[in-house]
Short mmCIF file of all heavy atoms in Angstrom, two decimals:
data_model
loop_
_atom_site.label_atom_id
_atom_site.label_comp_id
_atom_site.label_asym_id
_atom_site.label_seq_id
_atom_site.Cartn_x
_atom_site.Cartn_y
_atom_site.Cartn_z
N GLU A 426 26.55 -108.60 -67.61
CA GLU A 426 25.21 -109.07 -67.73
C GLU A 426 24.25 -107.97 -67.89
O GLU A 426 23.12 -108.31 -68.27
CB GLU A 426 24.87 -109.82 -66.40
CG GLU A 426 25.62 -111.19 -66.27
CD GLU A 426 25.39 -111.81 -64.93
OE1 GLU A 426 24.63 -111.25 -64.11
OE2 GLU A 426 26.00 -113.04 -64.75
N ASP A 467 43.24 -103.54 -87.21
CA ASP A 467 44.43 -102.66 -87.41
C ASP A 467 44.05 -101.39 -88.32
O ASP A 467 44.80 -101.09 -89.23
CB ASP A 467 45.55 -103.41 -88.09
CG ASP A 467 46.13 -104.48 -87.15
OD1 ASP A 467 45.87 -104.42 -85.89
OD2 ASP A 467 46.61 -105.51 -87.64
N GLY A 494 44.74 -99.68 -64.06
CA GLY A 494 44.94 -98.75 -63.05
C GLY A 494 43.58 -97.88 -62.77
O GLY A 494 42.51 -98.47 -62.72
N SER A 538 48.38 -93.58 -63.38
CA SER A 538 48.46 -93.25 -61.97
C SER A 538 47.73 -91.91 -61.60
O SER A 538 47.67 -91.52 -60.48
CB SER A 538 49.93 -93.16 -61.59
OG SER A 538 50.55 -92.18 -62.30
N THR A 562 38.73 -90.15 -77.96
CA THR A 562 39.80 -91.11 -77.84
C THR A 562 40.55 -90.81 -76.65
O THR A 562 41.08 -89.59 -76.43
CB THR A 562 40.71 -91.02 -78.98
OG1 THR A 562 40.05 -91.37 -80.25
CG2 THR A 562 41.87 -92.05 -78.78
N ARG A 647 16.28 -75.24 -44.05
CA ARG A 647 16.49 -74.96 -45.35
C ARG A 647 18.02 -74.81 -45.56
O ARG A 647 18.56 -73.81 -45.15
CB ARG A 647 15.79 -73.88 -45.94
CG ARG A 647 15.98 -73.49 -47.41
CD ARG A 647 15.03 -72.46 -47.94
NE ARG A 647 15.54 -71.77 -49.15
CZ ARG A 647 15.41 -72.41 -50.38
NH1 ARG A 647 15.09 -73.58 -50.52
NH2 ARG A 647 15.88 -71.75 -51.39
N MET A 663 45.88 -88.63 -53.46
CA MET A 663 46.06 -89.92 -53.94
C MET A 663 45.59 -90.92 -52.98
O MET A 663 44.54 -91.55 -53.26
CB MET A 663 47.51 -90.15 -54.27
CG MET A 663 47.77 -91.49 -55.04
SD MET A 663 47.03 -91.64 -56.65
CE MET A 663 47.79 -93.19 -57.19
N GLU A 666 44.95 -92.90 -45.88
CA GLU A 666 45.03 -94.08 -45.03
C GLU A 666 44.94 -93.67 -43.47
O GLU A 666 45.22 -94.63 -42.69
CB GLU A 666 46.41 -94.74 -45.17
CG GLU A 666 46.62 -95.27 -46.61
CD GLU A 666 48.01 -95.82 -46.89
OE1 GLU A 666 48.98 -95.47 -46.07
OE2 GLU A 666 48.09 -96.58 -47.88
N PHE A 668 42.06 -91.91 -42.32
CA PHE A 668 40.65 -91.68 -42.05
C PHE A 668 40.12 -92.84 -41.18
O PHE A 668 39.97 -93.83 -41.66
CB PHE A 668 39.86 -91.49 -43.28
CG PHE A 668 38.43 -90.97 -43.05
CD1 PHE A 668 38.21 -89.64 -42.66
CD2 PHE A 668 37.30 -91.70 -43.25
CE1 PHE A 668 36.92 -89.15 -42.36
CE2 PHE A 668 36.06 -91.23 -43.01
CZ PHE A 668 35.91 -89.90 -42.54
N HIS A 686 26.44 -88.68 -50.10
CA HIS A 686 25.85 -88.51 -48.68
C HIS A 686 24.94 -87.24 -48.54
O HIS A 686 23.87 -87.16 -48.00
CB HIS A 686 26.96 -88.62 -47.57
CG HIS A 686 26.38 -88.81 -46.33
ND1 HIS A 686 27.23 -89.13 -45.22
CD2 HIS A 686 25.10 -89.03 -45.77
CE1 HIS A 686 26.54 -89.30 -44.12
NE2 HIS A 686 25.15 -89.19 -44.41
N PRO A 705 28.07 -59.30 -44.75
CA PRO A 705 27.52 -59.80 -43.56
C PRO A 705 26.18 -59.11 -43.13
O PRO A 705 25.80 -58.02 -43.65
CB PRO A 705 28.47 -59.35 -42.40
CG PRO A 705 29.88 -59.19 -43.25
CD PRO A 705 29.32 -58.67 -44.53
N GLY A 760 53.71 -87.52 -63.26
CA GLY A 760 54.99 -88.18 -63.15
C GLY A 760 55.29 -89.06 -64.37
O GLY A 760 56.42 -89.03 -64.95
N LEU A 800 65.60 -81.70 -43.85
CA LEU A 800 64.28 -82.09 -44.28
C LEU A 800 63.30 -82.12 -43.10
O LEU A 800 63.70 -82.33 -42.05
CB LEU A 800 64.42 -83.40 -44.97
CG LEU A 800 65.30 -83.53 -46.23
CD1 LEU A 800 65.30 -84.93 -46.68
CD2 LEU A 800 64.87 -82.63 -47.28
N ALA A 896 34.84 -73.39 -41.19
CA ALA A 896 35.44 -74.70 -40.86
C ALA A 896 36.33 -75.07 -41.92
O ALA A 896 36.36 -74.63 -43.11
CB ALA A 896 34.24 -75.66 -40.68
N ALA A 937 14.28 -61.47 -48.90
CA ALA A 937 14.40 -62.72 -49.91
C ALA A 937 13.80 -62.30 -51.24
O ALA A 937 14.08 -62.96 -52.17
CB ALA A 937 13.73 -63.89 -49.34
#
Side-chain angles (χ1 to χ4, degrees):
E426 290 176 359
D467 293 341
S538 58
T562 301
R647 178 169 162 74
M663 184 66 174
E666 298 178 341
F668 188 69
H686 196 178
L800 299 183

